[in-house]
């Protein structure tokens, strides 16, 4: 009962920041007795070593939340008592800079976990905002319940640490992209990373965020993003159809960025 009240308070909390007011979801918490959409939970690195009984117990202590377009799940610097698994939809993580402009950090798709660093954080406070980019559903997992599993089963803790190690490598790669000074090169590396097989073969990718937010993610103005993409298109390096980008020759694209 305490977790239920705590969860409702979390998603219903209104920020005192008058400069940036987006709606916050107010959810009615219900037990996740419906397995629909949760089949991918078992395959995630944070849960694939859990016994069936432990996973079921954790899910029963969790809550399923539905968010509408542009609704916030949590705000930057709020106390963090939960981490999240995306069942459907897509969310964006972002921070506000000193001038109140939001800077996109990441996009989160179905099958992903986020805010899981709160499992080990002390004090545990969310480092950014989490916003639904479309109608979305997430599983809100109590940090305390997961911590108890880690304390009781060292094997679970080892799996969690392996997950964090992989995330750290991914973040270093993201940081490497962001340190590239040329905006065109940042965009090219971003597009190549979206290809399922990297630079080994071409294909069509779908931008995980609206173009203006991809621009924010890559630390450039939307006008700069549009100009660079148009230039790549005019040179036959990509084909663009709304949010989809077709790259026929990734090697050629990489060559012009070197």
């Amino acid at each position: 009962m305490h977790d239920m009240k705590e969860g409702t308070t979390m998603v219903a909390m209104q920020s005192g920041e008058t400069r940036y007011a987006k709606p916050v979801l107010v959810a009615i918490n219900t037990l996740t007795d419906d397995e629909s959409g949760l089949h991918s939970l078992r395959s995630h690195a944070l849960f694939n070593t859990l016994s069936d009984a432990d996973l079921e117990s954790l899910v029963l202590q969790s809550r399923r939340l539905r968010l509408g377009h542009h609704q916030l799940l949590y705000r930057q610097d709020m106390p963090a008592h939960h981490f999240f698994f995306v069942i459907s939809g897509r969310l964006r993580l972002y921070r506000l800079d000193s001038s109140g402009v939001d800077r996109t950090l990441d996009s989160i798709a179905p099958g992903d976990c986020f805010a899981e660093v709160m499992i080990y954080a002390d004090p545990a406070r969310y480092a950014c905002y989490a916003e639904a980019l479309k109608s979305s559903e997430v599983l809100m997992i109590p940090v305390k319940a997961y911590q108890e599993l880690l304390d009781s089963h060292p094997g679970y803790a080892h799996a969690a640490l392996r997950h964090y190690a992989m995330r750290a490598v991914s973040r270093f790669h993201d940081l490497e992209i962001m340190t590239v000074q040329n905006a065109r090169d940042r965009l090219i590396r971003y597009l190549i990373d979206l290809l399922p097989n990297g630079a080994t073969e071409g294909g069509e990718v779908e931008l995980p965020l609206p173009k203006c937010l991809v621009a924010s993610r890559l630390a450039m103005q939307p006008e700069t993003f549009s100009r660079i993409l148009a230039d790549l298109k005019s040179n036959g390096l990509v084909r663009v159809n709304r949010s989809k980008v077709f790259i026929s020759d990734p090697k050629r694209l990489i060559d012009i960025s070197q």
Side-chain angles (χ1 to χ4, degrees):
M1 182 64 71
H2 174 72
D3 284 343
M4 183 178 294
K5 290 180 180 178
E6 186 176 69
T8 303
T9 300
M10 183 193 72
V11 293
M13 184 177 294
Q14 297 290 337
S15 169
E17 298 172 352
T18 57
R19 65 182 181 182
Y20 197 83
K22 284 191 175 182
V24 178
L25 174 69
V26 178
I28 299 174
N29 293 312
T30 57
L31 289 177
T32 55
D33 51 359
D34 176 11
E35 290 301 314
S36 175
L38 286 175
H39 59 277
S40 58
L41 185 70
R42 163 57 76 186
S43 61
H44 192 278
L46 288 177
F47 311 105
N48 59 14
T49 59
L50 271 60
S51 69
D52 291 341
D54 284 338
L55 181 61
E56 181 179 0
S57 174
L58 185 65
V59 169
L60 287 175
Q61 295 176 75
S62 304
R63 299 292 179 265
R64 200 187 282 246
L65 301 179
R66 292 183 175 87
L67 297 96
H69 187 213
H70 285 320
Q71 287 188 312
L72 291 181
L73 178 61
Y74 56 74
R75 294 180 181 270
Q76 186 175 317
D77 294 325
M78 279 179 57
H81 302 291
H82 301 83
F83 67 104
F84 304 89
F85 176 83
V86 183
I87 299 171
S88 64
R90 184 173 287 275
L91 292 93
R92 173 175 77 115
L93 304 183
Y94 66 93
R95 286 180 61 88
L96 294 183
D97 66 16
S98 58
S99 63
V101 176
D102 67 68
R103 304 295 182 184
T104 299
L105 302 176
D106 206 353
S107 64
I108 313 297
D112 291 340
C113 271
F114 61 102
E116 69 271 37
V117 70
M118 296 303 113
I119 296 167
Y120 290 107
D122 184 21
R125 289 187 174 274
Y126 295 116
C128 60
Y129 289 74
E131 172 196 31
L133 291 175
K134 60 171 79 172
S135 295
S136 303
E137 192 168 326
V138 302
L139 189 68
M140 184 174 72
I141 305 167
V143 167
K144 184 177 180 181
Y146 192 83
Q147 286 174 336
E148 290 173 351
L149 287 176
L150 298 184
D151 290 341
S152 302
H153 303 277
Y156 296 169
H158 293 162
L161 290 173
R162 285 193 297 270
H163 167 72
Y164 285 124
M166 292 179 65
R167 287 292 296 270
V169 170
S170 175
R171 291 297 178 241
F172 277 124
H173 179 70
D174 292 344
L175 181 60
E176 181 185 6
I177 291 177
M178 295 308 297
T179 57
V180 175
Q181 296 298 312
N182 187 297
R184 184 190 65 177
D185 293 349
R186 290 201 300 274
L187 177 55
I188 287 173
R189 294 187 64 172
Y190 180 81
L191 293 175
I192 294 297
D193 280 349
L194 291 178
L195 287 168
N197 298 310
T200 58
E201 59 183 86
E204 185 177 74
V205 299
E206 184 165 4
L207 297 177
L209 293 163
K211 292 176 183 177
C212 62
L213 296 182
V214 174
S216 173
R217 173 77 175 80
L218 297 175
M220 65 180 74
Q221 294 298 318
E223 296 81 5
T224 304
F225 175 89
S226 297
R227 185 183 69 250
I228 295 170
L229 196 61
D231 182 63
L232 295 177
K233 181 180 178 181
S234 66
N235 284 285
L237 295 165
V238 300
R239 297 201 303 269
V240 182
N241 181 14
R242 296 186 179 180
S243 64
K244 295 182 178 180
V245 180
F246 182 80
I247 304 169
S248 59
D249 190 348
K251 186 178 183 305
R252 183 181 169 210
L253 196 59
I254 292 173
D255 286 344
I256 72 164
S257 70
Q258 295 177 342

